[in-house]
Amino acid sequence: VLGKHNEWTRRIRPWYLWLERLTTSRYARILCNSTAVESAVRKRVPHTTGRTVVLHNGVPLTASAPVLEPAYDVIAVGNLRDRQKGIDILLRALALVSDDSINAIVVGDGPQRTELESLSRQLGLRDRVEFHGASCRVPDLLARSRVFALPSRYEGMPNALLEAMVSGLPVITAAVGGVSEIVTDGETGLIIPPEDPKALAKAITRLLADEGLAGRLGRSAKASVQSTFTIAAHTNRCLAIYEE
């Protein structure tokens, strides 16, 4: 059994594609964490029909966080390994918002952090954006934030997004990969076009200005994850696939 967890949008070298096709042909089942990933696998690797299975991610159901005074207007959580998570898009969006008191925290680490910190300074955001680094206190940081943003360039099914939703935060995310299988625009979050700082700036401003909308989206997001994207649902489905 093979797991595929990302919709690979970057150019794939011919030798890698050849190896992927060779090895993938040997698996009885290919578990894809979204239909977007499944479609990408089927497109790249012939003769996978009947062997690919969608197995959505699941996240723990966290206890209700205590009501705390927000310390951050916007929070983004993700690895800074490369440009996938679109943190540079978030920084450019923050530079566009008219209210220069809006701040943000970026939780995560990786080789791109230095470049992003430099971009933050260039955009005049030195005092408005905190690069927190990797953390085991993500639930606490989510509880002290008002809006979660994930303007990714490509995704499979991002756990960080699910974790933000189950915490009750209103989320803004880009229309990539399996995101539309998690978030319904205007009901459980706001979906923006990828690579669009202006749209992200507008969405951030909208949620911070409209507490009623933010609260409604946060409650709907939490209920959606609790009913569909749990560890129990994921585990039961996974066991059924292995038993098959």
Side-chain angles (χ1 to χ4, degrees):
V1 176
L2 172 68
K4 289 285 189 179
H5 306 129
N6 233 317
E7 183 187 36
W8 201 260
T9 59
R10 291 178 289 180
R11 182 177 178 273
I12 299 175
R13 295 180 182 275
W15 63 265
Y16 181 92
L17 185 59
W18 179 83
L19 282 174
E20 183 183 40
R21 289 175 174 174
L22 176 66
T23 55
T24 302
S25 67
R26 303 178 64 84
Y27 288 93
R29 289 290 182 273
I30 304 164
L31 309 185
C32 306
N33 64 354
S34 69
T35 56
V37 171
E38 182 184 43
S39 296
V41 169
R42 287 182 175 181
K43 182 177 180 180
R44 292 199 312 269
V45 184
H47 314 304
T48 55
T49 301
R51 293 189 292 124
T52 57
V53 181
V54 174
L55 176 65
H56 287 144
N57 291 352
V59 293
L61 301 182
T62 56
S64 297
V67 178
L68 301 172
E69 185 68 25
Y72 308 102
D73 294 312
V74 182
I75 183 171
V77 180
N79 71 74
L80 306 183
R81 184 173 54 245
D82 53 29
R83 299 173 74 244
Q84 176 189 354
K85 300 300 179 181
I87 302 302
D88 57 310
I89 299 171
L90 172 59
L91 296 177
R92 296 185 190 283
L94 291 171
L96 291 173
V97 298
S98 57
D99 185 350
D100 60 8
S101 69
I102 293 175
N103 65 8
I105 181 171
V106 177
V107 184
D109 213 342
Q112 202 193 16
R113 178 173 174 175
T114 301
E115 179 183 334
L116 290 169
E117 289 175 330
S118 176
L119 176 61
S120 179
R121 292 190 295 269
Q122 292 171 26
L123 294 171
L125 301 172
R126 181 195 297 268
D127 298 326
R128 293 171 55 194
V129 178
E130 175 186 336
F131 285 86
H132 186 81
S135 177
C136 59
R137 295 178 48 249
V138 172
D140 295 335
L141 295 170
L142 290 172
R144 300 209 63 191
S145 303
R146 298 175 64 191
V147 172
F148 178 88
L150 187 72
S152 300
R153 291 183 164 88
Y154 63 94
E155 282 290 355
M157 176 160 283
N159 274 356
L161 180 60
L162 291 170
E163 289 164 358
M165 292 172 70
V166 82
S167 76
L169 269 185
V171 300
I172 306 168
T173 186
V176 295
V179 163
S180 62
E181 297 166 51
I182 306 174
V183 178
T184 301
D185 187 40
E187 294 184 18
T188 56
L190 298 181
I191 297 181
I192 60 170
E195 302 278 1
D196 196 336
K198 289 183 180 179
L200 179 55
K202 183 178 179 180
I204 289 172
T205 302
R206 180 184 177 191
L207 287 184
L208 292 178
D210 191 338
E211 293 185 4
L213 173 63
R216 176 174 63 81
L217 293 179
R219 290 189 296 272
S220 297
K222 183 173 184 175
S224 174
V225 174
Q226 287 177 329
S227 66
T228 308
F229 301 103
T230 64
I231 290 290
H234 172 89
T235 302
N236 291 336
R237 174 74 168 136
C238 189
L239 287 172
I241 293 168
Y242 271 83
E243 287 171 356
E244 181 185 275

